[in-house]
Amino acid sequence: MVWFEIKKMLVYRKSYWILITLLIIECIQILGFTRPYDAVLEKNRNIYEEALSKVEGELTEDKRDYLETEMRYLNDVHMKMADLQMSYYRGETEEEDFREEFSSLSEVDERYVGFTKLYNQYIFVREDANRSFLYTGGWEALLNDPKVDLLLTLALILVLSSVFSEEYATGMNCLLCAQPVGPDRTVRIKAAISMGLAALLCLLAEAIRLGYCAGAFGLSGGEYRLCSLVSFGNETKELTLWQGFFLQLILKILGYMETACIILFLSVWMKKYSLVIMTGIVLLILPPLTWQDPFTFRGIPMPWSLCAGNVYLFGGEGELSLLQIALVMAEAVVMMGLILFFLHRKNRNFHGSKGLKFAACLLLMLFATGCGREETTVYYNSDGASFAEADSYMAVMYSDTGYLIQKDDGKISDFPLNARTGENVFSKSGFFLAGEECFYIQSSAIYENSGMPMVRNDVCLMKINLRTLQTEEVFRWNQETGWLFGLIDRNAQTDMNGMWIQKFFIHRQYMYFLRGDGSGEIDRMNLLTGESEVFLNKDIIRFSYDGKSFYYTDDFGRLVIYDLDRDREETLETVVAENFTLAPEGIYFSNMRDGKKLYLYSYDSGEVSKVCEETVFRVYTDESNVWFQTVSGVCGRMNRASGEIEFFEAPGFILAFSKDGDYIYFIDEAEWVIYAMDKSTLEVCGKFEVESPY
C-alpha cells in the first residue's frame, strides 16, 4: 500500500521530474549564488588567518595585548601615510622622497585591512566572555540565510496538490469511504508520505548547502558558542554553532512539513487541482516573495517563518528564548495535528457538522495572522534633509525659511501652510520622508489675547502628506506643562529643545536626531513615552539611514554601519570619507585617500571604484544619472550606463534635487532667486524670486 501510493504520487503522475529539476536548480543556486558574508575579509583572508592563528579560541590577556599593540602600530603607519600624502600635495615633500617613503609604508599597510577585520572581531569578543575567536565566514554563510526556499515550496505545491483533489475529481473518495478499513489507512499513508517527502527535500537542500559552505569557506570551530558570530550576538542561548545549525534544521523541517499539511488541507477543502495550486501559491509563496526583510513573527507562525529558522536565533530585541522557540515548535505540531484530524474525519464515512467546517475556516484564518513586515526601502541622507519630494510637491528648507514647490507649475509658497489661530507657527528643521509622509519639527509661539509677548513655546513633531497637504501632529512636548499628547504627564523632564533639531529620522517608535548645539551628539527619543537618551556621544556631522541601519564616520574617517535592531556596528575599512550619501546601488563618498575624489562603494560586491576626478561637494542620483556639484560650484552629470560625464555651469548652489521629477532647483543668494533647471536639456526653465531669510 505504501509503495503503491509513492508510485502513484511520483511515478504515475511524473512528479519525479519536478523533484529532479528542483534539486538541479538548488545545486546551481547554492553553488553559483552563495556569497561570502564579508567580501572584504575573504580578499584579505591570508593576513586575517595568519593573525587569527595566534589568538583563536577564548580571549586572554596575552591575546588582548598582542591585538592592541599590533593595532596601534598599524594605525600609526596608516596616519603616517595620510600625513605624508597631505605633505606631498602641499608641496612640502619632494616626489622622489614621497614615493620611496610611501612605498615602504605601503608594504606594512597591506596588512591593515586584514588585521582590522580581526581587531573588529576582538572588539566584539571582549564584550562577552562566552565569545571566542574563530573564522566565521563559513558559519555566517551557512546560518545567516533568512530567505524561504520558494522553489522547494513550489515543488511541494505542484506535487502534493493532487494527492486528494484527484480522488475527488474521479469519485475515488466515495469508493474508499465504502470500505471498512481503507479510508483511515489511506489517509494516514498519504499524509505520512507527503510530510516525509517535505522533510527529505529539506534535508537534501540543507545537505547541499552544508557541503558547499564546508568546502568553499570552511566550518572549523563548530564547538564554539553561537554568540561568537556577529550576526548571532545572543546573550541567552547556551548553544554551540553545530547545535544552532541543527536547531535551524529542525525548524525548517517542521516548516516544510507544515507546508505539506496545508497543501493537503487545501486539496481536501477545495477539491479542484488548479484551484489548490492557485490558492497554495497565494498563501505560501506570494507573502515571502513580496515582503522584505526583516520579518516580525508573532502569534501563530505561518510555515515560512519556520522555514527561515534563523530568525529565531538572532540576538537583540527580536531574539526568542529557548522556551519561546519550544512553544513555537509546539504550535506547529498542534497545527499539523489539527489538520491531520480534519483530513481523517473528512475522508471517512462521516458527515461533518457545520461547526467543524467553521472551525476549519477559523484555523485557516489563524495561519494568516502569524507574520508581518517592516519596510526597509527608506533612504535618508542628512545632507539632503533640507528637502523632501513626493509626486505633487517638494518641501524645501533653506536657513530659517521653508518653501513648498508645486511640481506641475513650479508655484512656490511658504512652508508650513496652515498656522493655528492666535499662534505664530514656524519651522527650522529639516525633513524626513517615508513614502508620501513628510515629517518635520514645528514650533508655535502662543500669544495671549492682550497681545502681550510670548508666554509659552510649543514644539511638535508634525507630519504632512505631500500629495494631499493634510497635516497631523505626531508628537508634542511643551516647556510649561511637560505633557505628552495631552494625556500622560512626563515626570522625567528632558533637556531637548525642539527648535535645535535640524536633522533627524524615525525608526520604529524612536526619533534619532542630531543636536544643534554643535556637540555632534546623536540623541534618541521614544515617541511613546517621551523619554530621551544619548545614543552616540561622538562628533558626528553627517549621517544616513536606510530603514535598518545608521551610517556615520568615526574619528579616522572610516564609515561605520550601525544596525539599530541588533545593536551592533561594522566598520568599513575601505571607505574613508569626508562626506557620503546612500543610494540604491551603493554608497557615494569623497575618498580622503585620493584627494577627496568621488568614489562608489558597492553593497553587493564590496568593491570601491572611482566615479570621477573632481572633488565633490554634494551627490544625488536618479534612475539614469549621477549628479554632483564640485566645491567651486560647477555641476556634473554622469550617465550610469556609459560612465560619460558632462559638466555644466549652475545658476547657484543646489537647493533641492528632484529624484523622480524633471527639475533641479538652485538658489542664488546674491539676488535671492530660485532657478528650476530641466534635467534633460540642462536649461533654466523657471525663475522665482523669494525673500531673504536674513
Side-chain angles (χ1 to χ4, degrees):
M1 186 72 174
V2 175
W3 286 109
F4 174 75
E5 291 292 340
I6 293 176
K7 288 182 179 179
K8 187 169 66 172
M9 182 185 298
L10 301 179
V11 180
Y12 299 154
R13 299 190 185 105
K14 308 296 183 182
S15 297
Y16 61 87
W17 285 114
I18 297 176
L19 303 182
I20 293 174
T21 304
L22 165 70
L23 293 176
I24 293 174
I25 297 177
E26 285 283 347
C27 290
I28 295 174
Q29 178 177 293
I30 293 172
L31 299 179
F33 298 98
T34 301
R35 296 291 182 264
Y37 181 78
D38 190 335
V40 177
L41 186 148
E42 294 300 324
K43 291 181 179 179
N44 299 272
R45 186 168 171 181
N46 291 335
I47 298 173
Y48 167 82
E49 289 188 334
E50 178 184 347
L52 177 65
S53 63
K54 302 177 182 179
V55 298
E56 187 171 1
E58 297 181 356
L59 178 62
T60 63
E61 286 299 324
D62 291 340
K63 296 176 182 179
R64 186 190 300 268
D65 293 340
Y66 162 73
L67 291 168
E68 293 182 352
T69 302
E70 189 74 7
M71 193 62 192
R72 281 195 296 268
Y73 171 68
L74 290 176
N75 275 332
D76 290 341
V77 172
H78 206 68
M79 296 303 296
K80 286 180 182 178
M81 292 179 67
D83 293 340
L84 184 63
Q85 282 183 306
M86 296 302 297
S87 176
Y88 172 67
Y89 295 148
R90 290 193 298 262
E92 299 173 356
T93 304
E94 296 294 333
E95 181 176 357
E96 183 177 353
D97 296 336
F98 165 75
R99 292 187 179 278
E100 181 179 355
E101 187 173 354
F102 192 83
S103 176
S104 176
L105 292 174
S106 297
E107 294 179 0
V108 180
D109 188 57
E110 289 180 356
R111 300 177 53 238
Y112 185 82
V113 176
F115 187 84
T116 301
K117 287 299 178 181
L118 181 62
Y119 191 82
N120 290 338
Q121 189 177 3
Y122 158 66
I123 295 175
F124 176 71
V125 168
R126 71 184 181 186
E127 295 176 354
D128 188 344
N130 294 314
R131 296 170 182 166
S132 302
F133 289 101
L134 76 155
Y135 168 69
T136 61
W139 290 106
E140 294 282 12
L142 178 65
L143 300 179
N144 192 14
D145 184 14
K147 295 181 178 61
V148 181
D149 194 332
L150 298 179
L151 288 174
L152 197 157
T153 305
L154 179 61
L156 290 176
I157 292 174
L158 295 176
V159 172
L160 302 181
S161 292
S162 61
V163 171
F164 287 105
S165 61
E166 188 177 73
E167 293 180 352
Y168 281 95
T170 60
M172 179 60 70
N173 64 307
C174 296
L175 293 176
L176 291 175
C177 288
Q179 303 298 318
V181 180
D184 292 343
R185 186 180 180 188
T186 301
V187 170
R188 289 196 298 269
I189 291 175
K190 290 179 184 294
I193 293 174
S194 300
M195 296 169 66
L197 178 64
L200 178 61
L201 291 177
C202 178
L203 282 170
L204 288 175
E206 288 302 299
I208 296 173
R209 292 186 67 247
L210 178 65
Y212 176 78
C213 291
F217 306 112
L219 294 175
S220 61
E223 70 279 6
Y224 294 128
R225 289 277 300 276
L226 184 65
C227 60
S228 298
L229 303 187
V230 174
S231 59
F232 293 85
N234 295 278
E235 298 277 343
T236 59
K237 296 187 180 71
E238 300 289 337
L239 293 176
T240 66
L241 292 169
W242 278 117
Q243 290 171 344
F245 168 75
F246 286 116
L247 178 57
Q248 273 195 26
L249 181 61
I250 293 172
L251 287 168
K252 290 181 179 181
I253 290 175
L254 279 177
Y256 290 114
M257 289 174 66
E258 189 177 1
T259 298
C261 287
I262 292 176
I263 298 170
L264 296 180
F265 172 82
L266 294 175
S267 67
V268 170
W269 188 23
M270 297 185 172
K271 299 181 176 62
K272 294 184 178 180
Y273 179 71
S274 58
L275 189 59
V276 174
I277 291 179
M278 293 175 59
T279 307
I281 291 175
V282 170
L283 286 178
L284 301 171
I285 291 183
L286 289 185
L289 182 64
T290 56
W291 292 358
Q292 299 183 7
D293 295 332
F295 286 102
T296 300
F297 299 97
R298 57 187 181 274
I300 300 173
M302 277 295 277
W304 58 71
S305 63
L306 293 166
C307 297
N310 64 332
V311 298
Y312 297 110
L313 303 180
F314 282 144
E317 296 179 0
E319 180 191 11
L320 298 181
S321 66
L322 288 177
L323 176 60
Q324 290 170 316
I325 293 178
L327 291 175
V328 169
M329 297 168 67
E331 286 178 345
V333 173
V334 170
M335 287 299 163
M336 287 189 286
L338 291 174
I339 293 176
L340 294 175
F341 175 75
F342 170 80
L343 297 177
H344 178 263
R345 297 297 296 270
K346 192 69 176 177
N347 288 276
R348 61 193 295 257
N349 194 10
F350 172 81
H351 299 285
S353 63
K354 292 183 179 180
L356 185 60
K357 295 179 181 179
F358 175 77
C361 294
L362 181 62
L363 177 64
L364 187 61
M365 291 176 61
L366 288 175
F367 283 128
T369 64
C371 188
R373 71 180 173 102
E374 297 174 13
E375 294 289 349
T376 59
T377 56
V378 176
Y379 285 97
Y380 173 84
N381 297 295
S382 62
D383 283 342
S386 59
F387 62 89
E389 177 192 23
D391 292 337
S392 303
Y393 293 90
M394 288 190 71
V396 180
M397 187 65 59
Y398 186 78
S399 185
D400 296 337
T401 303
Y403 307 105
L404 192 72
I405 302 175
Q406 193 167 343
K407 293 171 62 176
D408 56 354
D409 58 6
K411 181 180 178 181
I412 297 180
S413 56
D414 292 335
F415 183 91
L417 299 176
N418 302 315
R420 301 191 190 111
T421 304
E423 299 179 10
N424 180 19
V425 180
F426 57 97
S427 175
K428 295 177 65 175
S429 78
F431 302 105
F432 173 71
L433 186 68
E436 294 181 332
E437 305 291 344
C438 177
F439 296 84
Y440 63 97
I441 305 297
Q442 176 178 277
S443 299
S444 306
I446 304 177
Y447 293 81
E448 292 183 341
N449 295 331
S450 62
M452 295 296 291
M454 180 178 62
V455 296
R456 192 176 69 196
N457 183 18
D458 282 341
V459 183
C460 307
L461 174 63
M462 301 294 296
K463 178 174 67 176
I464 181 172
N465 188 300
L466 289 183
R467 179 176 57 86
T468 64
L469 298 186
Q470 292 181 346
T471 58
E472 177 183 350
E473 183 178 292
V474 179
F475 176 88
R476 175 189 290 199
W477 56 96
N478 182 279
Q479 291 180 351
E480 182 182 19
T481 63
W483 284 71
L484 171 66
F485 295 123
L487 299 175
I488 304 172
D489 190 6
R490 291 193 292 111
N491 295 321
Q493 193 73 17
T494 71
D495 60 350
M496 176 189 296
N497 184 348
M499 297 173 60
W500 285 95
I501 303 174
Q502 294 185 347
K503 299 176 180 180
F504 70 95
F505 64 90
I506 298 172
H507 178 74
R508 299 185 185 275
Q509 76 270 27
Y510 294 98
M511 180 174 73
Y512 295 79
F513 60 94
L514 176 67
R515 295 185 64 90
D517 56 6
S519 65
E521 178 181 290
I522 298 291
D523 286 5
R524 175 171 65 183
M525 166 172 274
N526 190 324
L527 296 178
L528 299 179
T529 65
E531 297 178 356
S532 65
E533 61 181 348
V534 177
F535 175 64
L536 283 177
N537 189 13
K538 299 181 179 180
D539 187 13
I540 296 176
I541 300 176
R542 297 177 178 87
F543 59 88
S544 297
Y545 168 72
D546 65 358
K548 179 182 178 182
S549 299
F550 175 79
Y551 299 74
Y552 68 96
T553 52
D554 64 9
D555 295 337
F556 299 99
R558 300 173 300 184
L559 186 65
V560 180
I561 305 176
Y562 194 108
D563 191 316
L564 296 174
D565 291 330
R566 302 178 189 172
D567 195 28
R568 64 179 179 86
E569 63 182 26
E570 176 187 7
T571 302
L572 298 181
E573 300 295 335
T574 56
V575 181
V576 182
E578 181 181 53
N579 56 67
F580 63 93
T581 186
L582 299 186
E585 66 272 20
I587 302 172
Y588 290 93
F589 66 99
S590 58
N591 194 341
M592 294 179 64
R593 291 176 172 173
D594 188 16
K596 301 179 183 178
K597 304 296 191 302
L598 182 62
Y599 276 68
L600 171 65
Y601 170 85
S602 172
Y603 293 127
D604 297 330
S605 64
E607 296 286 344
V608 173
S609 57
K610 182 181 289 189
V611 175
C612 74
E613 293 288 345
E614 299 294 327
T615 302
V616 299
F617 178 65
R618 292 288 186 269
V619 182
Y620 306 98
T621 60
D622 58 18
E623 292 183 357
S624 304
N625 301 289
V626 176
W627 303 79
F628 57 88
Q629 190 166 32
T630 65
V631 177
S632 61
V634 177
C635 289
R637 176 177 65 181
M638 186 190 77
N639 187 289
R640 290 189 179 186
S642 63
E644 182 180 356
I645 299 178
E646 178 182 3
F647 291 94
F648 59 94
E649 291 294 330
F653 280 92
I654 295 177
L655 174 67
F657 179 83
S658 178
K659 180 179 179 181
D660 300 320
D662 300 324
Y663 305 104
I664 305 175
Y665 296 89
F666 297 83
I667 188 166
D668 184 354
E669 293 184 350
E671 301 180 0
W672 291 111
V673 175
I674 294 178
Y675 295 92
M677 175 180 285
D678 191 296
K679 290 165 63 177
S680 58
T681 63
L682 301 181
E683 296 179 355
V684 174
C685 55
K687 179 179 179 180
F688 313 95
E689 295 184 1
V690 295
E691 294 183 1
S692 170
Y694 303 111

